[in-house]
Structure formats: C-alpha cells, structure tokens
Amino acid sequence: MIYVCIPAHDEAETVGVLLWKTRKVMAEFDRDYRVIVLDDGSSDDTRAVLNRYKKTLPLTVFHSDESLGYGRSVERLLRYVVTQASYPKRDCAVVLQGDFTEDPADLVSLVKVLEGGADVVAAKPDHSDRPVPRGMRVARWAARAVMGGAYRKAPVSDPLTGMRAYRVIVLKKAFRESPEKDSVVKSDGWAANMELLAAVAPHARKIAETDAELRYDLQVRDSRFNATKAFLSLTRFRGGSFWAGVGEKTA
C-alpha cells in the first residue's frame, strides 16, 4: 500500500487538481494506494473541495481547526500511516505539497527506488529553467553556509526538500523512540524536513534519491515558506554529529 500524505493549508485552488492528477498517476502505476490529507486550519474552501473527492478517490481527510504548521501536519499524517499500515516492511508513505509545486508523477520514481531496496527515498529538486522565488534561492544558499557540516554530511544532496518516500517500518521505529507527546518535529518548513530526516535516517538501511521537478510557477497563493524564519531555524543544525548513525547514502 502506498499512502500519499498531503498537508494542506488554504489550497482550495490547487488541491483538487493535485488529487485528480494523483488519481490518474496511481491508476497508471497500478498499485494499491490511499490519499491522506490534513486540512491544516484552512480559511478558504479547501474543506469543501476535499469533500467532493471522497467519492472518487480512496481518500481520508482530517481537519484541524487551528493551524498546526507544516512540520506538525506532516508528522501527524505519518504517525497516522504507521497506525494503519498492515505491512510496515512493505508499505510506504510519500509526502506531497498541497500547492502543486511537486508533481504527483514524480512519486512513481520515488516508490520504484524504494521497491528496489531503499528505506527512504528523497526527491532531488531539478529546477531546470523553471523560476525559483528569490527568497528561496537566497535561503538555500544561506542554509548551506550556516549549517556547514550538517549540510555536507546529510545522507541526501538536498536535506531541505520534503518530498520523500518512507518505508513504514522506518517511521514506526523512529516514532517508537519519540511518543506523540514528544514530537520528532519541533520546527517548521525546511527545518522540519531536516528534523524528520534525522529522526528516520538511523533506522534506514539504505537512503537514496531521485530527480524531481519543482514548479513554483504554478503556485496560486503566497507560500507558507518564510525565508527569514527558515534561515533562523536552520542555524541550530550544525556539525556532522547531527547525522550520527545514518544508513548508506546512494546517489
């Protein structure tokens, strides 16, 4: 079973298209799947849009009246998957953004690499000639500089990107060491992606990555990403010891 996990906040204009594309991709991929969406305190019509897709997709939707933030939303989705997966050594969870910057078609390559023996597969963003917001370009450059050894010794080439496939058994082991009242993810945005990767990496026998295209030009609302907050959050990830005990890295 493939669990497609989508944290959504004010995504009424994009989440329907994302779900439709996910349905099309998974029908061609011919794997059992379920889409899990957490509506994170949306103030637009996100809830109504999601409800319309419940009859056409294997879809589970959770609503939070208060905004949890990206990091906590992702962790809540993944913890739910751990409770639902019947075959944790075979089942996997894939995280997708709700704003359509990540193409559901790319989850196929992530899952195929995972089926080939990896326990965690991370997307390696390929921006090609697509425009990337200036704030994100600057923050990524600054992150590499301020994080130093923590960035260079990461088990993937871009530890800030959240689009990943996780074998459920790896998530189960990571969350077992950190009960829900003591969350694995205490930051938000890119820092949350770093924390989650650091939590699961020691339990992964093999960590791999595959190319994926990010489409910031398709965003129809302002991103939840805040360059200044991202930079400040990432300043605490320093030194190679942050990645102690990680599994094998493959390109």
Side-chain angles (χ1 to χ4, degrees):
M1 177 72 75
I2 300 169
Y3 295 91
V4 182
C5 300
I6 304 173
H9 174 72
D10 289 347
E11 318 285 7
E13 295 188 57
T14 56
V15 74
V17 181
L18 179 66
L19 292 175
W20 175 85
K21 181 68 178 290
T22 300
R23 179 173 179 263
K24 183 174 183 293
V25 167
M26 295 307 298
E28 295 173 356
F29 192 30
D30 195 25
R31 300 289 197 281
D32 291 333
Y33 76 101
R34 173 158 288 277
V35 179
I36 319 292
V37 181
L38 175 59
D39 176 16
D40 182 28
S42 295
S43 58
D44 64 358
D45 292 330
T46 296
R47 178 178 296 209
V49 173
L50 292 171
N51 287 337
R52 289 201 294 268
Y53 281 85
K54 287 182 177 179
K55 293 182 179 180
T56 57
L57 278 141
L59 175 64
T60 299
V61 179
F62 296 103
H63 301 282
S64 175
D65 292 332
E66 63 168 330
S67 180
L68 303 174
Y70 166 78
R72 290 173 62 196
S73 295
V74 170
E75 181 169 349
R76 182 169 292 188
L77 285 164
L78 295 178
R79 284 186 181 272
Y80 174 75
V81 168
V82 167
T83 68
Q84 298 300 303
S86 300
Y87 305 98
K89 292 184 178 180
R90 187 180 67 191
D91 297 342
C92 71
V94 180
V95 179
L96 281 179
Q97 300 300 311
D99 60 5
F100 213 59
T101 55
E102 297 166 351
D103 191 338
D106 287 327
L107 71 82
V108 173
S109 58
L110 267 71
V111 173
K112 284 184 175 180
V113 174
L114 188 136
E115 290 177 343
D119 287 329
V120 178
V121 185
K124 182 169 63 174
D126 176 16
H127 301 296
S128 60
D129 296 326
R130 304 290 183 185
V132 178
R134 183 177 181 276
M136 290 192 174
R137 294 199 308 271
V138 172
R140 281 185 177 278
W141 174 84
R144 291 180 178 88
V146 75
M147 290 167 60
Y151 197 100
R152 292 190 297 272
K153 295 182 180 181
V156 295
S157 58
D158 189 347
L160 306 181
T161 301
M163 186 179 184
R164 299 180 190 135
Y166 302 92
R167 196 177 299 276
V168 174
I169 188 64
V170 174
L171 294 170
K172 188 174 184 177
K173 290 177 179 178
F175 292 148
R176 184 183 298 152
E177 294 184 355
S178 181
E180 194 163 3
K181 61 182 177 60
D182 183 22
S183 299
V184 166
V185 177
K186 296 178 173 60
S187 304
D188 206 23
W190 285 349
N193 293 332
M194 284 278 292
E195 284 185 309
L196 184 57
L197 182 60
V200 301
H203 306 286
R205 297 163 301 171
K206 182 178 179 181
I207 299 173
E209 54 188 345
T210 185
D211 290 337
E213 185 178 24
L214 298 188
R215 294 292 305 273
Y216 296 110
D217 57 313
L218 296 180
Q219 286 181 326
V220 297
R221 64 155 177 80
D222 291 337
S223 172
R224 282 204 272 184
F225 170 83
N226 180 289
T228 301
K229 286 178 63 177
F231 177 79
L232 293 174
S233 295
L234 290 166
T235 56
R236 59 195 182 87
F237 299 121
R238 299 171 184 267
S241 60
F242 184 72
W243 303 109
V246 300
E248 174 189 355
K249 174 188 175 182
T250 60

